Amino acid sequence: NMFCNLNLTDMETCYKVFRTDLLKSIPIRSNRFGFEPEITMKAAKRKLRIYEVPISYHGRTYEEGKKIGWRDGVKALSVILHFWLIDDLYVEPYGRAFLNNLTGTPQYLSWLTQKLRPHLGDTVLELGAGIGNIAGRLMGRRLQYVAAEKDPLYLHALRNRFLRTPNVAVLKLDPENPGDYQAVGGTFQTVLCINVLEHVDDPDKVVASCAEVIEPGGSLIVLVPQGRRKMGSLDRTLGHKRRFDKKQLRALLANHGFEVGRLYQLNKIGAPAWWLYSRVLRRKQINKVTLKLFDKTVWLWKRIEGVLPWKGLSVVAVARKK
């Protein structure tokens, strides 16, 4: 309970009930009794909604064949400590694990949402909401917020997170399927398209669909990775199909009736590190320790952002529908 922030009376019951798709998404590394603390720690870190249900049992004595001793307690504690330190939470190699790692970078996420918040209207649709990292920070009580996602596991995480949040609705929506936008059933003052366009096959189709659900005078806020020359191993691991430059992004938005009002350079300090890791060292992952160190120093980087002479790792465009 201390390590996973739960309040369970008995973790070692050998009885666990899961939704099949969730269980299949969790890598299992332990044999024997290590399974119990491992799966509990991972469920807690994934922020799955956990319920403890009473059971009854008749315990065996050592004479009747009981085989658990103090050594098993030590092993269980070592498993708890191991999976408290190590985030090995998703079967898929990187995408979902990276989203989970971002929950451990609250200062960066706060920095990003500070850039976005002044441009929000009263009704907001977020495409590709993931596990709710951004929605959880932007969903002020006065907003009507729709968190849209196509992945079933992300949808499950979103519904858990916003189960008792009346002004947040969770919607299944594929950004590349125009028919899904028609099912939204209304228009919005703001559509957020954060880290979406670099993953899709046809960004034009996505922006055109966004234009259909934005009120006249409303805003489309887009964040994309910047710099075609930075495209490398990290991008490919994350599923990026492209990186953008400012001119290309402006043209994409203008082609669908949007006028770009503001362009923000974001995370300039991350650009050289990305180039080094992705193009020179050809790494396929971002070390969690590196992310933690970056997050702890965000207070400094955002203060010197304006004096750094190079472009940001990402660019944010705030575009108004004519």
Side-chain angles (χ1 to χ4, degrees):
N1 287 338
M2 181 173 65
F3 284 105
C4 63
N5 197 30
L6 296 176
N7 187 24
L8 302 177
T9 59
D10 189 357
M11 172 265 294
E12 296 270 12
T13 65
C14 299
Y15 289 94
K16 302 280 190 291
V17 180
F18 283 86
R19 278 182 40 177
T20 305
D21 57 346
L22 284 178
L23 186 59
K24 286 183 176 180
S25 75
I26 302 174
I28 307 299
R29 310 300 183 191
S30 300
N31 295 315
R32 303 184 74 249
F33 293 112
F35 167 80
E36 296 274 5
E38 176 187 351
I39 201 69
T40 305
M41 288 297 297
K42 290 183 176 181
K45 281 190 168 186
R46 289 267 297 263
K47 301 188 186 302
L48 305 180
R49 195 172 294 276
I50 299 172
Y51 296 91
E52 192 172 31
V53 181
I55 62 171
S56 59
Y57 71 101
H58 179 71
R60 293 181 298 174
T61 66
Y62 287 102
E63 291 77 14
E64 293 172 324
K66 181 176 180 178
K67 296 179 175 62
I68 297 178
W70 66 270
R71 292 181 181 85
D72 297 289
V74 174
K75 290 178 182 178
L77 181 59
S78 69
V79 173
I80 291 170
L81 290 171
H82 177 79
F83 289 107
W84 176 62
L85 292 169
I86 303 299
D87 288 333
D88 178 27
L89 304 177
Y90 292 91
V91 169
E92 292 189 21
Y94 199 65
R96 290 196 177 103
F98 181 68
L99 279 180
N100 187 78
N101 280 348
L102 285 180
T103 64
T105 55
Q107 301 306 317
Y108 169 74
L109 290 171
S110 295
W111 182 19
L112 171 58
T113 52
Q114 284 172 11
K115 295 282 189 183
L116 304 178
R117 187 174 288 110
H119 306 289
L120 298 183
D122 292 333
T123 54
V124 179
L125 169 66
E126 182 188 351
L127 303 180
I131 58 177
N133 288 333
I134 294 173
R137 286 167 169 77
L138 290 179
M139 58 162 198
R141 294 181 181 180
R142 296 180 181 179
L143 298 183
Q144 293 300 313
Y145 201 104
V146 175
E149 180 54 62
K150 70 175 183 177
D151 187 283
L153 289 175
Y154 289 165
L155 284 167
H156 181 79
L158 289 168
R159 287 169 181 147
N160 271 346
R161 184 166 188 168
F162 300 115
L163 179 66
R164 294 181 177 87
T165 309
N167 65 313
V168 179
V170 177
L171 177 71
K172 183 177 182 180
L173 187 152
D174 183 349
E176 297 185 82
N177 184 358
D180 284 2
Y181 292 82
Q182 298 173 6
V184 171
T187 57
F188 299 85
Q189 293 180 5
T190 308
V191 170
L192 291 175
C193 190
I194 309 299
N195 291 322
V196 172
L197 296 182
E198 65 270 27
H199 292 279
V200 300
D201 292 323
D202 189 351
D204 276 282
K205 183 188 293 185
V206 175
V207 175
S209 296
C210 290
E212 295 294 323
V213 295
I214 296 176
E215 299 176 3
S219 297
L220 173 62
I221 303 176
V222 176
L223 184 148
V224 290
Q226 183 175 216
R228 298 183 187 183
R229 293 183 178 179
K230 295 187 185 76
M231 189 77 181
S233 57
L234 286 175
D235 293 282
R236 288 186 285 273
T237 304
L238 287 169
H240 293 176
K241 297 179 180 178
R242 64 190 63 80
R243 298 181 71 89
F244 292 80
D245 57 39
K246 291 193 298 183
K247 183 178 179 181
Q248 179 189 14
L249 184 59
R250 282 183 181 274
L252 172 63
L253 296 170
N255 288 342
H256 298 283
F258 290 99
E259 182 180 13
V260 177
R262 295 291 301 272
L263 273 174
Y264 294 104
Q265 298 290 326
L266 184 68
N267 193 9
K268 287 186 178 182
I269 197 64
W274 189 277
W275 179 83
L276 175 65
Y277 274 78
S278 195
R279 293 299 298 262
V280 179
L281 301 178
R282 299 187 185 278
R283 299 282 178 84
K284 295 184 178 180
Q285 294 187 8
I286 300 175
N287 185 282
K288 188 171 183 181
V289 174
T290 303
L291 284 173
K292 287 281 189 183
L293 289 173
F294 165 72
D295 193 61
K296 295 300 182 184
T297 52
V298 159
W299 63 271
L300 172 62
W301 308 131
K302 68 181 182 181
R303 283 168 172 77
I304 66 172
E305 182 104 334
V307 300
L308 296 178
W310 56 83
K311 295 178 181 179
L313 186 61
S314 302
V315 61
V316 180
V318 181
R320 184 180 62 85
K321 182 178 177 181
K322 296 178 182 179

